[in-house]
Amino acid sequence: MQPRYGDARQQVRGRYGLYHFGTSGAAVAAATAFTHPLDVIKVRLQMQLAGQRGNLVGMGTIFTQMVEAEGTRSLYLGLAPALTRSVVYGGLRLGLYEPCKHVCSYAFGSTNFAFKFASGVIAGGLATALTNPMEVLKVRLQMSKSSTSTIGEMRKVLAHEGFKALWKGVGPAMARAGCLTASQMATYDEAKQALMKWTPLEEARVA
């Protein structure tokens, strides 16, 4: 029995979405792995002399101190949760944007720039809320001077601080990610619409 046209079209769309989720995840993972040492140094810079007074040192000094005292592997502390968060967060914020935009279109009958911006805020905020535990574990591991696995660090956090500790800092993180996603996606959407309106370019469609 031949599959119906609608079913075949749905399968193609499913594969198309999975393909883009996978390729975007792979791209984000590669970028995260390449820039992770800079993220570790950033966290060490932010946390130096925490709660104390003293002279702050720069990026080069932190880098030298880490390599000399902890070895080059210290530059990749927290890589596992960082990769996990990047892949899931990248896929979620892009994957949630279009559904949010369609909800706005259905509820308000419009997808102007304001609704696109709001859709980006919601998509970025939800993606961050769901991946915040990985962010917390990543930072904890980046600050750790001992060799601890992601699972080991999570067990320690849960045992000493409780389940809520995995969502520390989620409010500012959601606000930042919401504004970042909204500015990126809404601007991209508006630019694409302008190009399609004023040039011969057309949007690619799933067969």
Side-chain angles (χ1 to χ4, degrees):
M1 182 179 178
Q2 294 293 330
R4 291 180 299 176
Y5 176 74
D7 293 340
R9 187 182 179 86
Q10 193 66 29
Q11 290 176 0
V12 170
R13 284 182 174 176
R15 290 195 296 270
Y16 183 78
L18 184 62
Y19 168 79
H20 278 278
F21 184 90
T23 52
S24 64
V28 171
T32 298
F34 184 75
T35 60
H36 190 73
L38 294 175
D39 191 44
V40 175
I41 294 173
K42 179 204 73 173
V43 171
R44 294 291 181 97
L45 283 169
Q46 290 173 335
M47 295 302 295
Q48 63 176 315
L49 299 176
Q52 305 175 33
R53 292 182 180 273
N55 295 321
L56 301 176
V57 298
M59 177 179 172
T61 303
I62 289 288
F63 172 81
T64 303
Q65 290 175 351
M66 288 181 64
V67 173
E68 290 179 350
E70 305 171 54
T72 55
R73 292 184 64 182
S74 63
L75 297 174
Y76 285 89
L77 290 171
L79 180 61
L83 289 175
T84 304
R85 180 202 176 268
S86 295
V87 172
V88 177
Y89 169 76
L92 282 175
R93 79 184 188 115
L94 295 177
L96 291 173
Y97 174 72
E98 286 296 332
C100 289
K101 194 172 69 171
H102 289 319
V103 169
C104 288
S105 177
Y106 178 79
F108 303 102
S110 174
T111 54
N112 59 28
F113 184 82
F115 287 119
K116 291 174 182 176
F117 192 89
S119 299
V121 170
I122 294 171
L126 286 176
T128 297
L130 292 172
T131 57
N132 198 72
M134 290 294 103
E135 178 70 16
V136 171
L137 293 174
K138 182 199 74 171
V139 174
R140 297 293 182 94
L141 288 169
Q142 288 174 340
M143 289 301 300
S144 176
K145 300 297 177 70
S146 60
S147 180
T148 308
S149 67
T150 304
I151 300 299
E153 186 65 28
M154 183 172 67
R155 287 175 176 171
K156 186 167 70 173
V157 171
L158 293 175
H160 293 88
E161 303 174 55
F163 188 72
K164 288 184 178 180
L166 294 174
W167 272 271
K168 284 185 175 180
V170 68
M174 288 178 66
R176 177 183 179 277
C179 291
L180 184 64
T181 303
S183 61
Q184 290 175 337
M185 299 305 295
T187 303
Y188 162 78
D189 231 344
E190 286 293 304
K192 183 179 73 172
Q193 293 298 323
L195 286 173
M196 291 171 58
K197 181 178 181 180
W198 300 108
T199 70
L201 296 175
E202 296 182 357
E203 186 174 10
R205 299 185 182 276
V206 180

